[in-house]
């Protein structure tokens, strides 16, 4: 039989798992086949030991599997050269002051030598005192060697070695320097090995360190064969189905459900079961022929939104249960069967609903330790009165009226409680059970399952296709998120990938209509254009359009849904909004190679965190690595990047995979020390330091970030309304010889060659503001001077004679307009949000030269505008005729021989025919020649800008590293 040793430590946190895994890997490199075991009821550490050994790790637990330890060791170490046991907690820490079932207890039971790993940082001779105490405690196992961890160097190691020898302690087998790389952890322990592709590389590097500093030959020499009679468990007769078909038991196995004892699965197979693994995260149906479902523990709270999004599987579980398929759930598996789960930061989602329970998390442990459970009535696994050992370790608690299945007592004594839930064909509870200790219970479950008809295959039973995702968040608003997302969309689309943008929720007045109707934030329309695809409502499924006084109009999938104050939206509506967004995201992931996601504001707004649906919650749902961008131009970029990571909840902090520093002015090598500081402090790579380049300007996402644009002889003054919307209407003018300025004061209109009254979300309120600030008189004076005035959408409405709102779309009543156009506007439903194209109709002045020509853009408005009375001389209606839904819609009006004009069409300046006609008229008015050369469309102008942006990012980002993060994030 193979010889073995036990690696133990004085306390938890000494690095046992890292050291044990690296030792196993170092021995394996020397040709030794090593069988790993973990002492105690642990599911997480065995994943690292298994990875290092290349063999499945077993559990040795004297409480859960009494009298079976020698048999488990003998059975599972067949074919191995060595046996390596990693201890649990401190060497003597177990049940009660006697330390029952501790690492020391197991070492004594198996007569295996112990290697004690001690933290030698800031000590030397004191290490000898610590080791002497552990080795000489009455009833101590044989401590045969010492491994000193966190040793500063050879001299420090020699001092420890000499101290141990001087006081006749076990010898020092080697020492380990402080390791830069550590294994990440979360609330239940280490992050499981299979969840991080880089875990194997970390262990390889640590193993190389140990090969240089640990006497592996001495370690092998001290190993001994374990002792004890290997008495096998007594299994009942295998369970057969009536027709002889396989007895299929579906076992949940993925990142969310992995807390399974190898011995439990072996017990089920010994009873005749065919185990069929499935993924609640990825599979849409249960395996064919399933008669029972095993839902082990794990981290469902870490994958809450992904589990809730897999509605086909949730429906399949409900259907299977109704048809007689049995269900057994432990801890996380029980949580998955509940109706509602609220995670550690307060995010809530519905799950399977087979138990009428609501699960929520506490900041402190709810239960931890060995327990003995006694069935209060007949259950799926245990008859009334039967007792069995179990282990509990959870931060959550369940609320609901479900009857309790068990009376529970702590193994250490004290007051008991009632726990577990039972229904016909279903048993679930917080206790983790090793079925090898109670094979009759497993057989009882299987006998109850053989009469189930078995799940039939469904067309959707294949794992769902899922593209990769990448998210960009910022430490603040305007940190460069849209800039990065747009550039990355273009970059990866040019490489031949099918790419789509996504922003779960956008708050902006700058919106764009999409094909088929509906509106989304302009930033996502721009990103879709950079991908080379038409924009659609799924790219921005939730759009909040501010109405003032902390109220917003909520647009879901392009259509108005509700109006709500911020508090009501976050408290009552954001849950539904996220479910809509998540469904849209899942659809995009299934149809694309890559979805590039954009966050909003900062991901660390902790006052709103439980209701934040756009940042890390969306990233988690997509399994997207997150790039965190900081704007150095604002100052404090080191503090903002480090501080953002610091305040994030631990369970979400790991989603942030890399950093980017944006808008650096000057020599970027001056920030080399800053890069080193960030990488050392955050343990995350800095993908790049992006130079400041104002020529790479993109349309601003909201009016707070608008900036004057363009250069040239023509000055276009856009009135900066408080609720200015769709201010990208003028971007193309800035590309062709215009200086576009946003007028904050009436005096800013002086000297303008064109005055634009733009769109607005609140026409009545902004018209009132316009008059109060004196803009009304200034616009009228400009028109009287002959300066052209253009009204777009809300601005068009204001230029009319009167505005009426009988239904209270904005506010009940009516208000006189500026009276520069002979039209009236009546507000009412339904809201128009669609693309539009048509032909010019005006026949006066410069507009007459455009008559019959094409025009295109989009509409977003709730008002209907029509001529009022007889049209005066030099005025007319319509400005253009638009096609919408197969109908021709007259729209727009002009007056003063075309020097005052307006209509509902946004994006008209993107159309080269209309833009060149307007600009040549303005240029002629100043004695300038017409523009020469081909007139590009607005889209052509933007695409050239996207290409420059993609080239810029490709030059300044570490693309190889970024692609590696994307590959790992999609696992």
């Amino acid at each position: 039989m193979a010889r073995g040793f036990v690696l133990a430590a004085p306390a938890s946190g000494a690095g046992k798992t890292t050291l044990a895994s690296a030792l196993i890997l170092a021995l394996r490199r020397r040709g030794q086949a090593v069988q790993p075991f973990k002492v105690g009821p642990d599911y997480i550490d065995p994943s690292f030991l298994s990875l290092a050994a290349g063999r499945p790790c077993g559990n040795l637990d004297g409480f859960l599997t009494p009298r079976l330890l020698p048999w488990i060791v003998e059975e599972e170490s067949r074919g191995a050269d060595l046996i390596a046991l990693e201890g649990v907690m401190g060497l003597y820490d177990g049940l009660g002051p006697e330390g029952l079932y501790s690492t020391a207890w197991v070492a004594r039971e198996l007569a295996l030598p112990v290697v004690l790993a001690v933290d030698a940082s800031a000590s030397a001779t004191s290490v000898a005192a610590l080791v002497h105490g552990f080795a000489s405690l009455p009833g101590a196992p044989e401590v045969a060697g010492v491994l000193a961890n966190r040793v500063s160097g050879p001299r420090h190691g020699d001092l420890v070695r000499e101290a141990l020898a001087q006081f006749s302690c076990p010898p020092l087998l080697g020492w380990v320097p402080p390791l830069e790389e550590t294994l990440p952890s979360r609330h239940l322990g280490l992050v499981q090995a299979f969840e991080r592709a880089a875990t194997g590389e970390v262990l390889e590097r640590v193993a190389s360190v140990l090969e240089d500093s640990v006497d592996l030959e001495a370690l092998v020499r001290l190993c001994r064969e374990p002792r004890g009679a290997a008495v096998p468990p007594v299994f009942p007769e295998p369970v057969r189905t009536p027709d002889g078909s396989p007895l299929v038991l579906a076992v949940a196995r993925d990142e969310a459900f992995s807390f399974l004892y190898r011995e439990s699965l072996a017990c089920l197979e010994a009873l005749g079961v065919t185990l069929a693994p499935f993924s609640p995260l990825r599979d849409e149906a249960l395996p064919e022929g399933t008669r029972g479902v095993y839902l082990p523990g794990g981290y469902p709270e870490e994958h809450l939104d992904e589990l809730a999004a897999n509605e086909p599987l949730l429906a399949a579980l409900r259907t299977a249960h109704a048809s007689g398929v049995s269900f057994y759930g432990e801890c996380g598996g029980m949580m998955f069967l509940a109706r509602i789960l609220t995670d550690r930061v307060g995010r809530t989602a519905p799950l399977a609903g087979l138990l009428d329970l609501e699960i929520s998390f506490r900041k402190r442990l709810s239960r931890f330790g060995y327990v003995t459970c006694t069935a209060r009535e007949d259950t799926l696994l245990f008859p009334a009165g039967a007792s069995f050992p179990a282990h509990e370790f959870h931060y959550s608690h369940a609320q609901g009226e479900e009857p309790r299945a068990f009376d529970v007592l702590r193994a250490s004594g004290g007051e008991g409680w009632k726990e577990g839930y039972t229904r016909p064909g279903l048993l679930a509870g917080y206790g983790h059970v090793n079925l090898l200790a109670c094979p009759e219970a497993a057989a009882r479950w299987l006998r109850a399952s053989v009469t189930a008809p078995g799940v039939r295959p469904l067309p959707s039973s294949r794992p769902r296709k899922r593209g990769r995702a990448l998210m960009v968040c910022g430490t603040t608003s305007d940190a460069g998120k849209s800039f990065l997302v747009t550039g990355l969309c273009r970059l990866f689309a040019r490489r031949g990938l099918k790419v789509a943008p996504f922003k779960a929720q956008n708050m902006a007045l700058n919106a764009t209509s999409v094909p088929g109707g509906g509106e989304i934030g302009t930033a996502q329309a721009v990103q879709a254009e950079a991908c080379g695809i038409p924009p659609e409502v799924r790219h921005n499924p939730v759009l909040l359009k501010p109405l003032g006084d902390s109220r917003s109009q909520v647009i879901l999938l392009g259509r108005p849904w509700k109006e709500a104050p911020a508090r009501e939206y976050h408290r009552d509506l954001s849950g539904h909004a996220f479910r809509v967004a998540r469904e849209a995201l899942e659809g995009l992931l299934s149809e694309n190679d890559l979805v590039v996601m954009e966050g909003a504001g900062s991901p660390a707004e902790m006052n709103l965190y439980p209701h934040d649906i756009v940042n890390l919650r969306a990233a988690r749902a997509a399994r997207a690595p997150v790039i965190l961008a900081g704007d150095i131009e604002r100052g404090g970029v080191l503090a903002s990047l480090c501080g953002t990571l610091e305040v994030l909840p631990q369970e979400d902090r790991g989603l942030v995979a890399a950093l980017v520093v944006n808008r650096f002015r000057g020599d970027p090598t001056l920030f080399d020390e800053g890069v080193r500081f960030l990488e050392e402090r955050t343990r995350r790579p800095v993908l790049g330091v992006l130079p400041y380049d104002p020529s790479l300007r993109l349309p601003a996402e909201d009016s707070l970030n608008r900036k004057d644009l363009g250069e040239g002889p023509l000055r276009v003054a856009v009135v900066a309304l408080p609720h200015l919307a769709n201010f990208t209407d003028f971007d193309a003018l800035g590309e062709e010889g215009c200086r576009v300025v946003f007028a904050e004061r009436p005096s800013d209109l002086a000297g303008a060659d064109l005055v634009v009254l733009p769109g607005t979300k609140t026409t009545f309120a902004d018209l009132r503001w316009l008059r109060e600030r004196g803009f009304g008189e200034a616009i009228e004076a400009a028109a009287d001077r002959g300066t052209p005035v253009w009204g777009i959408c809300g601005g068009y409405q204001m230029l009319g004679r009167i505005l009426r709102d009988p239904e209270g779309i904005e506010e009940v009543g009516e208000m006189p307009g500026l009276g520069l156009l002979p039209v009236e506007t009546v507000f009412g439903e339904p809201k128009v949000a669609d693309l539009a194209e048509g032909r010019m109709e005006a026949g006066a002045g410069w507009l007459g030269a455009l008559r019959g020509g094409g025009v295109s853009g989009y509409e977003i408005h709730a008002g209907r505008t029509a001529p009022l009375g007889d049209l005066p001389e030099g005025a007319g209606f319509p400005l253009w005729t638009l096609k919408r839904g197969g109908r021709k819609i007259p729209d727009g009006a002009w007056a003063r021989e075309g020097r005052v004009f307006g209509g509902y069409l946004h994006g008209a300046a993107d159309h080269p025919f209309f833009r060149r006609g307007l600009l040549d008229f303005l240029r002629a008015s100043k004695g300038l020649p017409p523009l020469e050369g081909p007139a590009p469309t607005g889209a052509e102008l933007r695409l050239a800008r996207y290409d420059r942006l993609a080239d810029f990012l490709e030059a300044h980002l570490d693309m190889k590293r970024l692609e590696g993060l994307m590959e790992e994030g999609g696992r």
Side-chain angles (χ1 to χ4, degrees), residues 414-504:
E415 188 175 346
W417 63 93
K418 295 177 175 57
E419 199 268 301
Y421 307 95
T422 182
R423 286 186 174 190
L426 185 151
L427 179 64
Y430 274 117
H432 296 278
V433 178
N434 192 322
L435 294 175
L436 191 64
C438 41
E440 182 53 49
R444 177 184 173 90
W445 173 20
L446 301 179
R447 286 193 289 268
S449 304
V450 294
T451 57
V455 173
R456 294 182 178 180
L458 299 175
S460 60
S461 60
R462 300 185 308 274
R464 292 176 294 166
K465 176 184 179 294
R466 189 182 179 97
R468 291 178 294 168
L470 173 69
M471 172 170 265
V472 179
C473 287
T475 58
T476 62
S477 295
D478 198 31
K481 296 184 293 290
S482 294
F483 175 85
L484 281 163
V485 169
T486 305
L488 291 171
C489 282
R490 189 64 178 169
L491 191 158
F492 286 112
R494 292 193 315 190
R495 293 185 177 187
L497 295 180
K498 188 177 181 183
V499 186
F502 179 80
K503 186 167 185 173

Side-chain angles (χ1 to χ4, degrees), residues 325-559:
V325 172
S326 63
F327 283 77
Y328 173 52
E330 293 180 346
C331 200
M334 179 204 72
M335 292 157 59
F336 186 48
L337 294 173
R339 182 169 52 84
I340 294 289
L341 175 58
T342 301
D343 70 9
R344 288 169 55 84
V345 296
R347 298 173 293 212
T348 297
L351 291 176
L354 298 187
L355 291 171
D356 189 16
L357 297 175
E358 294 188 11
I359 311 290
S360 57
F361 275 75
R362 295 169 172 163
K363 292 184 178 180
R364 296 182 178 180
L365 271 172
S366 298
R367 305 282 185 197
F368 174 59
Y370 291 127
V371 296
T372 299
C373 304
T374 302
R376 296 165 54 83
E377 59 181 277
D378 285 345
T379 69
L380 182 63
L381 272 76
F382 303 97
S387 296
F388 59 94
H391 181 268
E392 291 195 22
F393 184 14
H394 57 95
Y395 285 80
S396 68
H397 70 287
Q399 290 180 307
E401 299 303 319
E402 293 282 351
R404 301 301 194 268
F406 307 121
D407 290 318
V408 183
L409 290 173
R410 292 184 190 276
S412 56
E415 188 175 346
W417 63 93
K418 295 177 175 57
E419 199 268 301
Y421 307 95
T422 182
R423 286 186 174 190
L426 185 151
L427 179 64
Y430 274 117
H432 296 278
V433 178
N434 192 322
L435 294 175
L436 191 64
C438 41
E440 182 53 49
R444 177 184 173 90
W445 173 20
L446 301 179
R447 286 193 289 268
S449 304
V450 294
T451 57
V455 173
R456 294 182 178 180
L458 299 175
S460 60
S461 60
R462 300 185 308 274
R464 292 176 294 166
K465 176 184 179 294
R466 189 182 179 97
R468 291 178 294 168
L470 173 69
M471 172 170 265
V472 179
C473 287
T475 58
T476 62
S477 295
D478 198 31
K481 296 184 293 290
S482 294
F483 175 85
L484 281 163
V485 169
T486 305
L488 291 171
C489 282
R490 189 64 178 169
L491 191 158
F492 286 112
R494 292 193 315 190
R495 293 185 177 187
L497 295 180
K498 188 177 181 183
V499 186
F502 179 80
K503 186 167 185 173
Q505 173 187 291
N506 198 343
M507 176 174 276
L509 290 172
N510 216 23
T512 299
S513 296
V514 300
E519 57 183 309
I520 63 173
T522 296
Q524 280 62 65
V526 164
Q527 291 157 8
E529 192 172 50
C531 294
I533 60 175
E536 57 166 294
V537 294
R538 293 185 301 174
H539 295 155
N540 175 208
V542 183
L543 175 62
L544 305 180
K545 305 189 82 171
L547 299 173
D549 299 326
S550 298
R551 291 180 64 84
S552 292
Q553 182 185 45
V554 184
I555 310 292
L556 285 189
L557 294 177
R559 303 297 182 185

